[in-house]
Amino acid sequence: MTNTLTRSIILVTLEQAKRDCILVAAAKAFAQRGFRKASVDEIAKSAGVAKGTVYLACESKEDLFYQAVHREIREWTANAARLIDPRKPADELLLSVAVASLEDVGRRPLVRELLEGKHSELLPQWMPQFEELRILGRKNVVEILELGIAQGRFRGDLDVNEVATLLQDINMSTLIFQRYRTDFDFPRRLRAGIDLVLNGLRLPNQKGTIPSL
Amino acid sequence: MTNTLTRSIILVTLEQAKRDCILVAAAKAFAQRGFRKASVDEIAKSAGVAKGTVYLACESKEDLFYQAVHREIREWTANAARLIDPRKPADELLLSVAVASLEDVGRRPLVRELLEGKHSELLPQWMPQFEELRILGRKNVVEILELGIAQGRFRGDLDVNEVATLLQDINMSTLIFQRYRTDFDFPRRLRAGIDLVLNGLRLPNQKGTIPSL
DNA sequence: AAAATGACCAAAAAACCCGTTTGGTCATTC
DNA sequence: GAATGACCAAACGGGTTTTTTGGTCATTTT
């Protein structure tokens, strides 16, 4: 009993390590050479295994790609989540986590390419799954927002998910348009954007909803 | 003297009309069939001129594409500019102009495809020029912001260009991500986004800049 | 016994060829 | 002098062959 348990744990551990190794190699290859040009054999060799072993970790090349992306994004999100210290002021977290996330994504070419809309030939079919990953990333923002409300710093009358989506979009834009602009100081841009969202554009005495439309 | 002047004006007028005609035909063809599949001859015939005439209006097919895009965006921007009535409250304008712009872009497939990142094989080389066009569009937002400050509705301590860029990015995101989401009510999203930017996320008693970082 | 392998095969991609189309020019026409 | 369309090199398309590659599975290794 204990033996089989130990064994299965060891097995899972070994399998998981190899699995990770394969997915990392896949992520690197797909990012460097694109989905089509990266070959499964090349990925296998880069991971130090034979091709057959790769197919113990995935169903198909598409599945491999998706798993590699999924893993990168989960790691990315988890890194960000680790920064959310509930003792810190939520408004400060909003900025520091965003900056860290964008820096992190710079080190993840595969994620970055996806967010920037490369691999667009594959995107349509996978959009549902990627939307799922977006929701994953949004959970961090929602957490910070709810923290801010609990801290009495943020308004409680807003739809937290709505606001989170908007902030996520701002971060995306910052990321996407960054590459097209010269002399682009993205922490500064982020700071300006989040500062604006925090304090609002209206003069204090003018607060209220938009009059009409 | 008067004669040559009159003639040249007439010439310019005639040329301009034909030029427009060509550029409109080009925009339609490029949007429908893409840059490569749309042929110059086809565009010429659709504009009711011979191919040689097209080359009186442009230097090359690439230039033709760029001019067509440029013209569409100028028109788009001008339409939006026409809606800026200084007698109306600036916060109201912010929303109504954004909604109208996004509706308008829906009727301009070429512009829309560009903003969504299609034609991506051409984009890198043309980014500088498109950035120029972005600045053009930003002028409208800046105008509204300055109006709001003059009306005593908006804070005057912000960098107007910075804020305009941010609002432009929000609009872009709304546009870009719209297509990937089901049940996406974009005027509602825009309203929520602009409302947030106007009123801010912080509780009124918490105003101030971000404490530290 | 279970995990890992790599030879193997159908299918897809690349390379090649060649007839057709097309971007761009310019002598001619209006 | 503005507009044209015949003209040409170069690029495109598509059909065919060759090469590569995704995916399998009998065999080997641990």
Side-chain angles (χ1 to χ4, degrees):
Chain A
M1 181 67 174
T2 312
N3 195 14
T4 51
L5 190 63
T6 309
R7 275 194 63 191
S8 77
I9 285 173
I10 289 172
L11 280 179
V12 167
T13 308
L14 277 175
E15 252 299 323
Q16 192 58 39
K18 195 161 285 182
R19 200 189 189 76
D20 274 353
C21 194
I22 291 168
L23 292 183
V24 168
K28 198 165 69 179
F30 285 135
Q32 276 176 358
R33 327 201 352 167
F35 175 74
R36 276 168 42 179
K37 287 196 178 173
S39 80
V40 176
D41 212 44
E42 161 199 355
I43 290 168
K45 287 208 171 65
S46 158
V49 298
K51 190 162 58 165
T53 310
V54 172
Y55 280 89
L56 297 174
C58 67
E59 304 248 317
S60 65
K61 192 184 180 185
E62 278 207 12
D63 181 46
L64 180 62
F65 179 87
Y66 175 64
Q67 282 196 49
V69 171
H70 207 294
R71 190 186 161 287
E72 283 264 296
I73 292 189
R74 275 203 313 265
E75 216 172 54
W76 177 42
T77 309
N79 278 351
R82 226 168 280 129
L83 297 175
I84 304 178
D85 178 349
R87 292 164 305 179
K88 288 189 182 162
D91 32 20
E92 195 184 316
L93 284 176
L94 218 48
L95 180 59
S96 60
V97 171
V99 170
S101 285
L102 284 199
E103 274 169 2
D104 193 14
V105 90
R107 276 172 249 123
R108 300 178 186 280
L110 187 58
V111 176
R112 189 168 173 160
E113 281 170 13
L114 264 178
L115 295 181
E116 281 175 356
K118 316 280 182 193
H119 303 267
S120 53
E121 72 281 11
L122 304 166
L123 269 185
Q125 28 175 339
W126 291 342
M127 224 40 224
Q129 283 138 316
F130 290 140
E131 182 56 22
E132 180 193 315
L133 293 172
R134 264 179 71 85
I135 294 171
L136 207 67
R138 199 146 61 229
K139 265 168 66 181
N140 284 335
V141 187
V142 169
E143 201 180 321
I144 297 177
L145 290 176
E146 280 168 350
L147 181 66
I149 294 171
Q151 288 177 344
R153 292 172 191 275
F154 293 168
R155 293 161 59 193
D157 62 321
L158 296 172
D159 179 334
V160 180
N161 244 291
E162 192 93 35
V163 176
T165 307
L166 189 85
L167 286 170
Q168 204 176 29
D169 284 357
I170 291 179
N171 289 0
M172 287 301 174
S173 299
T174 307
L175 182 71
I176 292 170
F177 292 114
Q178 179 184 1
R179 75 193 327 260
Y180 294 134
R181 292 178 193 152
T182 53
D183 74 321
F184 189 79
D185 179 1
F186 91 80
R188 192 173 155 280
R189 273 296 314 282
L190 264 188
R191 172 180 279 270
I194 290 178
D195 195 287
L196 180 64
V197 170
L198 283 174
N199 293 316
L201 182 57
R202 276 196 175 116
L203 281 167
N205 62 326
Q206 293 280 336
K207 300 285 172 184
T209 52
I210 297 177
S212 71
L213 184 63
Chain B
M1 180 68 175
T2 311
N3 197 12
T4 50
L5 190 63
T6 309
R7 276 192 63 189
S8 76
I9 285 174
I10 288 173
L11 279 179
V12 167
T13 308
L14 276 176
E15 253 301 323
Q16 192 56 40
K18 194 161 287 183
R19 199 186 190 79
D20 274 353
C21 196
I22 291 168
L23 293 182
V24 168
K28 199 164 67 177
F30 285 135
Q32 277 177 356
R33 326 203 352 167
F35 177 74
R36 276 168 41 177
K37 287 196 178 176
S39 80
V40 176
D41 212 44
E42 162 199 356
I43 291 168
K45 285 207 171 67
S46 158
V49 297
K51 189 162 57 166
T53 311
V54 172
Y55 280 88
L56 296 175
C58 67
E59 303 249 318
S60 66
K61 192 184 179 184
E62 279 206 12
D63 181 47
L64 180 62
F65 179 87
Y66 174 65
Q67 283 197 46
V69 171
H70 206 294
R71 193 186 159 284
E72 283 263 296
I73 293 188
R74 276 203 313 265
E75 216 172 53
W76 177 42
T77 310
N79 279 350
R82 226 168 279 128
L83 297 174
I84 304 178
D85 177 349
R87 292 163 304 179
K88 289 190 182 162
D91 32 19
E92 195 184 316
L93 284 176
L94 218 48
L95 181 58
S96 59
V97 171
V99 170
S101 284
L102 283 199
E103 276 170 359
D104 194 15
V105 91
R107 276 172 248 122
R108 301 179 186 278
L110 187 59
V111 176
R112 189 169 173 159
E113 281 170 14
L114 264 179
L115 295 181
E116 281 174 358
K118 315 281 182 191
H119 303 268
S120 51
E121 72 280 10
L122 305 165
L123 269 186
Q125 24 175 340
W126 291 343
M127 223 41 225
Q129 283 138 317
F130 290 141
E131 181 56 21
E132 181 193 315
L133 292 172
R134 265 180 70 86
I135 294 170
L136 207 68
R138 199 144 63 228
K139 266 168 63 180
N140 284 334
V141 188
V142 169
E143 201 181 321
I144 297 177
L145 290 176
E146 281 169 348
L147 182 65
I149 294 171
Q151 288 176 345
R153 291 171 191 275
F154 293 167
R155 293 161 59 193
D157 62 322
L158 298 171
D159 179 334
V160 182
N161 244 293
E162 193 93 34
V163 176
T165 308
L166 189 85
L167 286 169
Q168 204 176 28
D169 284 356
I170 291 179
N171 289 358
M172 285 302 176
S173 299
T174 308
L175 183 70
I176 292 169
F177 292 116
Q178 179 182 2
R179 72 191 333 257
Y180 293 133
R181 290 177 194 154
T182 53
D183 72 322
F184 189 81
D185 179 359
F186 92 79
R188 191 174 156 280
R189 274 298 314 282
L190 264 189
R191 171 180 279 271
I194 291 179
D195 196 287
L196 180 65
V197 169
L198 282 174
N199 293 315
L201 181 56
R202 275 197 174 116
L203 281 168
N205 63 327
Q206 292 282 334
K207 298 290 167 184
T209 50
I210 297 176
S212 74
L213 184 66

